[in-house]
Amino acid sequence: MERPLTSNIYPDRPPLNLKEYEKAGGYIALRKACSGMSPAALQKLVQDSNLKGRGGAGFNTGIKWSLVPMGDEAPHPKYLIANADEMEPGTFKDRVLLEGNPHQLIEGMILAAYAIQADIAYVFLRWAYHEAAALLRKSIQEAYDAGYLGKDILGSGFHLDMHLHTGVGRYMCGEETALLNALEGKRATPRAKPPFPQVSGLFGKPTIVNNVETLCCIPHIVNNGADWFKGLSYSEDGGTKLYGVSGKVKKPGAWELPMGITMRELIEEHAGGMKSGFQLKGVLPGGASTDFLTVQHLDIKLDYKSVAAAGSRLGTGTMIVMDDGTCPVGFVHNLQHFFAQESCGWCTPCREGLPWVEKILLAMEKGEGRKEDLELLQMHTQLLGPGNTFCALAPGAMEPLQSALKYFRDDFEKHIDHKKCPYD
Amino acid sequence: MLTAIEKKAIDHEIELVPYRKASVIEALKIVQQHRGWISDESVEEIAAYLEISPAEVDSVATFYNLIFRKPVGRHIILLCDSISCYVMGYRLLHKALEEKLHIRMGQTTDDNRFTLLPNVCLGCCDHAPALMIDKDLYRDIEPALLDDILKKYA
Ligand SMILES: Cc1cc2nc3c(=O)[nH]c(=O)nc-3n(C[C@H](O)[C@H](O)[C@H](O)COP(=O)(O)O)c2cc1C
Ligand code: SF4
Ligand code: FES
């Protein structure tokens, strides 16, 4: 089984430096692109590979790039940004790539920048990843020294500067338009679309924001071709995927596996199954803002379409397992506390609604819930749902709530009927 | 007054952006790094240097979780309170830390040694529960391990 993204990552060794990365085949893809591949051909190649964005929304990366204005008339500077904010609770996959092989990301970024003819690239890194920050600083400098960054890269006439920006902690910085505001030194509130960032992004210039894992796939697609990439997958979405599992399983962790393996294989084989004494009760398949799946869904394929057909989202592909000893009301309360705290306050349904939801759930946990609260919660899942808020934070927050009300309704009812948490 | 060192670092950031005020987050980070936190005076000094109003600087400063607008202790404990750590028992750590340090979440010890803060997912959920002290990450933590960890910070 091929594992292109992680085959050069060894858990107990520092990541490859420039020389070692080159020896392992690094920067060959960049040489290939710089010796005669047109930006349009690179965009087409990535589009054909059916690489879908790994940041959560799952949009075809090549098509996203194709919306950037090209040619002599295009506004400059254009920007390419790696979204390394990774603050979705339960998500730890980009960290593996950032700490494990920083040059792979840098090469992917240079290639993406070449495809859209960007002038400046940023890594937007969350503050907590101190080790990744140090590694990236060193690796970016190595890439400059080797002529992979800066002026006239490998004699192609293409110029690119790359900077590292570390955030100061706010989940909203991961939302791509809020990220642009943060980079401009503003509060991380989202922007109205259209105009899309591809046309008017950072400082009003054409900009592409891609997830770290998305960008790390690019060198491998250039080296091996679109068909090879598609062939890595068990489903129609191309490539491998970094899946993760946390919670009370025997071996929590992250693994690069073919896109479309089943949830059962992931949880029972790779994560070793549940710890003894615990049963699986629910799973958030792709981070905190995805709908619960349950035991009945264990055999679904973990690709974008199949998880959507089961009523959830693949999201970041890092699952959070809820066991039968954990109270679903407490679990969802913890999630809503996070979302209420991280709401940027820009639009009313989210700013006012999430704290209300949080308070109702807290009251239930304390045994102070009322029958009508279930309807109130249900009502919020609609009021804060898609189309009613300015960005996807609030609808994302409602996903685990609405599915918990569906699958674990009796747990909510018990809290109300017995006036206490049955798990205490 | 911003020090010469602070100004030099901010000037470097200003060079990378199209206009001065775009570097306000970097300026806040730089000043906090030197002074530990951002006082009202610091807000005014940054505002003057970037040629914007203090209110504009403060609107940014108060938005971000890790810009401190109140004094903090010598060491900052960030305890992850997000979902995987919730499942794996961060509440026991929360209780143990409050008891050991005799402070509540959000407070600083009398000797100014520690400030205890809740924090969102630290991105190591496969090793939950987790906490961070200054720049050091601690994973798979149980209350019994806390004494040895805290000892390292004077
Ligand atoms: C509240 C919120 C937080 C997000 N956080 C992240 C993040 O930390 N990292 C990320 O790559 N995408 C995040 N996204 C998705 C981005 O907006 C964007 O879709 C993604 O970076 C695009 O990259 P991709 O096309 O490569 O997936 C977030 C979205 C929302 C609504
Ligand atoms: S949905 Fe929430 S996070 Fe998104 S813009 Fe509205 S208030 Fe801000
Ligand atoms: S939930 Fe605590 S580290 Fe992710």
Side-chain angles (χ1 to χ4, degrees), chain A residues 125-149:
Chain A
L125 182 71
R126 76 171 292 196
W127 64 274
Y129 288 1
H130 297 295
E131 191 182 328
L135 287 167
L136 280 166
R137 268 192 205 102
K138 172 174 158 270
S139 307
I140 290 173
Q141 191 53 51
E142 284 179 334
Y144 265 107
D145 294 344
Y148 300 135
L149 282 170

Side-chain angles (χ1 to χ4, degrees), chain A residues 21-54:
Chain A
Y21 180 69
E22 284 172 330
K23 235 171 138 180
Y27 291 107
I28 288 179
L30 181 63
R31 285 178 195 281
K32 192 166 163 185
C34 283
S35 55
M37 199 169 184
S38 71
L42 183 48
Q43 289 189 10
K44 177 82 176 29
L45 175 70
V46 172
Q47 186 175 330
D48 290 344
S49 76
N50 210 3
L51 166 64
K52 292 196 176 154
R54 306 294 198 236

Side-chain angles (χ1 to χ4, degrees), chain A residues 155-171:
Chain A
S156 64
F158 173 62
H159 313 301
L160 182 70
D161 279 309
M162 189 177 288
H163 308 294
L164 174 68
H165 175 96
T166 52
V168 264
R170 208 55 209 257
Y171 173 55

